[in-house]
Amino acid sequence: MSQKLNTPKGTRDHLPMDVRKREYIFNAISKAFESYGYQPIETPSFELSSTLMGKYGEEGDRLIFRILNSGDKLKKADVEALNNGQLAKFAHSLSEKALRYDLTVPFARFVVQHQNEISFPFKRYQIQPVWRADRPQHGRYQEFYQCDGDVVGSDSLRNEVELIRIIQQVFRFLKLPGFTVKLNNRKVLSGIAQVCGIQDELISLTVALDKLDKIGKEGVVNELVSKGFNAEVLKKIEPLFELQGSFNERLLQLRDFLSGNEMGLLGLEELSFVHSKLKDFIPGKEVLELDVTLARGLNYYTGIIIEVKAHEVEMGSICGGGRYDDLTALFGLKGLSGVGISFGADRIYDVLNSLDLFPSQLSMGPDILFLNFSDTTADVSDGWAAELRSHGKTVEVYPSNAKLQKQMKYANDRGAQWTAFYGDEEAANQSIVLKNMTSGEQKTYNVATWISDWLG
RNA sequence: GAGGUUGUAGCUCAGUUGGUUAGAGCGUCGGAUUGUGGUUCCGAAGGUCGCGGGUUCGAGACCCGUCUUCCUCCCCA
């Protein structure tokens, strides 16, 4: 090796076992979506910059990977803007395309573009990688898979309920020891801001509140003070830190807090409805929690917002989503409400790995490996292999007449369940030897009947 | 975007205040064993010390830059 090799920052290779594990997760998610009638779609890895920019807030825009123009298009670079220090304008002139940052915005574009080819309410799911120019950290990558499901064209809260049931189904299937679905509502957050008379600082407030479980009440207060919130406002929001008890008890406390505020109370009604439809959560294991500090950064959410955390492991949220009323309006189609969730496959992978929840069968190699003793016997093995494959078995024939020791080691490393010995000796007396690689036991069969005997 | 941290064999890591030819374990390959793996024994191969520059008689070690790793912010899946 003449050079130190590495994948780019924040990306990873996936060995066969990793891919199997990830497929296991994808399968759980797509099965759940399919069972509720969601249909799969795909969109391109990259979009026009104009489609993505400005949809995720300033912070999000900064994290979008841009694709450099090539060839003659590069000549259109706005050097004047560069000289004037207008870096954003200069960057824009260099790049007309960008890697997708999530699957929701491209989906909104998709819906508007194909509105005459799909029928509403449209339910789709999509499993594809997304890219963010973020600094890598625990559970954060620059390339990762999102598994999204959205419903557009229906403002019924039954969609929210359905999506939470899908979350439940996925994590039950994956045998998570427990998870908490946190719910909040942007309308409630807006109501809180209105009650406090700080509508314009809504985002500062929610960003600070969002950190409550991390930096505590004191930390939040400090941050709010440094953001310029006065003592009167701080006093007003005080009760929000003290919310306690069950979902319904918290609802009651918030009703007090928001009394008289139409927007906020509507938000609470919505949360109450969703909660009332989800009665089969297993206590302690599957928790539905009302959390006013849940904000979620994406600023296109307008209604209920959802975030899921796994129990018994330190990891950021493994699924998130919410309702967005105007996303397609950004692309010229008004009056189409949508709601969606996004599973973070790579984080779920990390969770399952650290809790050792992947089924052991995933690591199994071929059911049977035919050892290779000569071209003529390998040809016969090929025939048997084809027959076994038609019975649904995974079969390999070792490609060359290597030393037996080497072939056995390969079988062992691959996790082969059985090895088959068919060489000149066996050919001479019309037999074949099957060896169980776990127990080490060997058994001799008659070539005429061995397949049905062994399958039997 | 801010601050810190890391990089030596395929992998995990030693490497003394700067001083000859950079080491170990695991893995790989070969042999003990010419038709039997996962245990054992013997042997071998494998390194531009992340990359570029600098200081020095001399740099894996010190300095600067850069890329990368992991972490704390910011933000998020």
Side-chain angles (χ1 to χ4, degrees), chain A residues 369-424:
Chain A
L369 174 87
F370 285 89
L371 301 170
N372 187 325
F373 296 93
S374 69
D375 273 347
T376 46
T377 52
D379 283 344
V380 179
S381 298
D382 271 333
W384 286 323
E387 189 177 344
L388 287 166
R389 288 186 191 110
S390 74
H391 283 92
K393 296 293 179 188
T394 301
V395 187
E396 286 187 54
V397 180
Y398 198 87
S400 63
N401 178 10
K403 288 185 66 167
L404 195 60
Q405 195 171 202
K406 186 171 176 163
Q407 299 192 41
M408 289 301 287
K409 184 163 166 42
Y410 174 81
N412 202 52
D413 291 345
R414 284 296 322 278
Q417 310 294 296
W418 294 83
T419 42
F421 293 68
Y422 182 73
D424 296 337

Side-chain angles (χ1 to χ4, degrees), chain A residues 68-353:
Chain A
L68 187 64
N69 285 341
S70 44
D72 284 349
K73 285 193 172 175
L74 251 187
K75 293 179 185 160
K76 291 199 276 182
D78 192 340
V79 179
E80 199 177 316
L82 176 64
N83 291 333
N84 293 337
Q86 298 168 284
L87 288 180
K89 194 176 177 192
F90 175 65
H92 193 72
S93 72
L94 279 178
S95 154
E96 298 172 345
K97 300 180 286 280
L99 293 175
R100 63 169 168 248
Y101 177 88
D102 70 358
L103 300 178
T104 306
V105 168
F107 174 56
R109 193 224 74 222
F110 175 99
V111 167
V112 176
Q113 196 173 324
H114 300 286
Q115 53 187 285
N116 295 325
E117 300 156 61
I118 56 186
S119 48
F120 296 100
F122 181 57
K123 306 204 283 188
R124 83 85 171 78
Y125 73 95
Q126 186 173 357
I127 300 179
Q128 291 191 281
V130 303
W131 294 269
R132 296 186 187 176
D134 204 355
R135 191 160 293 205
Q137 238 180 82
H138 178 60
R140 310 173 67 165
Y141 308 97
Q142 294 204 337
E143 176 184 65
F144 61 97
Y145 270 86
Q146 286 195 329
C147 312
D148 276 31
D150 289 78
V151 185
V152 287
S154 163
D155 55 12
S156 167
L157 289 167
R158 288 181 180 278
N159 296 306
E160 273 87 336
V161 174
E162 183 169 288
L163 287 168
I164 293 168
R165 289 204 179 287
I166 289 171
I167 290 171
Q168 183 186 36
Q169 185 171 323
V170 166
F171 292 130
R172 276 185 182 177
F173 181 91
L174 295 175
K175 301 193 167 49
L176 276 197
F179 57 86
T180 296
V181 179
K182 294 182 174 192
L183 294 183
N184 195 7
N185 196 320
R186 275 289 163 96
K187 292 181 177 120
V188 170
L189 291 169
S190 297
I192 289 170
Q194 282 170 10
V195 165
C196 300
I198 49 166
Q199 296 92 304
D200 297 340
E201 285 95 341
L202 174 61
I203 292 180
S204 302
L205 176 69
T206 56
V207 165
L209 276 180
D210 197 44
K211 295 175 194 162
L212 182 60
D213 59 343
K214 208 167 181 182
I215 59 179
K217 177 182 166 185
E218 213 167 304
V220 174
V221 170
N222 286 340
E223 174 156 341
L224 288 173
V225 168
S226 74
K227 287 252 170 76
F229 288 84
N230 62 41
E232 195 186 341
V233 172
L234 289 174
K235 185 136 197 261
K236 268 189 177 158
I237 64 168
E238 181 84 24
L240 296 179
F241 298 121
E242 314 295 339
L243 292 181
Q244 274 177 13
S246 68
F247 201 101
N248 280 325
E249 286 163 349
R250 291 183 190 212
L251 273 177
L252 284 175
Q253 294 161 56
L254 280 168
R255 262 185 203 121
D256 269 357
F257 186 92
L258 289 166
S259 66
N261 183 279
E262 204 178 322
M263 168 89 81
L265 290 174
L266 175 59
L268 291 179
E269 281 311 306
E270 294 180 359
L271 287 165
S272 176
F273 176 87
V274 170
H275 177 244
S276 71
K277 298 293 177 194
L278 294 165
K279 291 299 187 200
D280 65 334
F281 271 49
I282 300 167
K285 251 187 108 175
E286 303 174 348
V287 180
L288 192 62
E289 183 179 300
L290 174 55
D291 182 359
V292 276
T293 70
L294 172 62
R296 292 192 59 75
L298 297 177
N299 56 11
Y300 48 65
Y301 290 120
T302 53
I304 284 184
I305 44 185
I306 303 167
E307 192 166 290
V308 186
K309 297 200 85 167
H311 294 177
E312 296 181 25
V313 62
E314 202 56 47
M315 179 65 64
S317 72
I318 52 177
C319 179
R323 179 166 291 275
Y324 42 89
D325 280 326
D326 276 321
L327 197 52
T328 55
L330 294 171
F331 300 114
L333 182 59
K334 290 179 184 161
L336 204 59
S337 186
V339 57
I341 52 170
S342 177
F343 291 91
D346 295 73
R347 280 192 183 172
I348 294 171
Y349 175 98
D350 290 343
V351 167
L352 296 189
N353 237 1

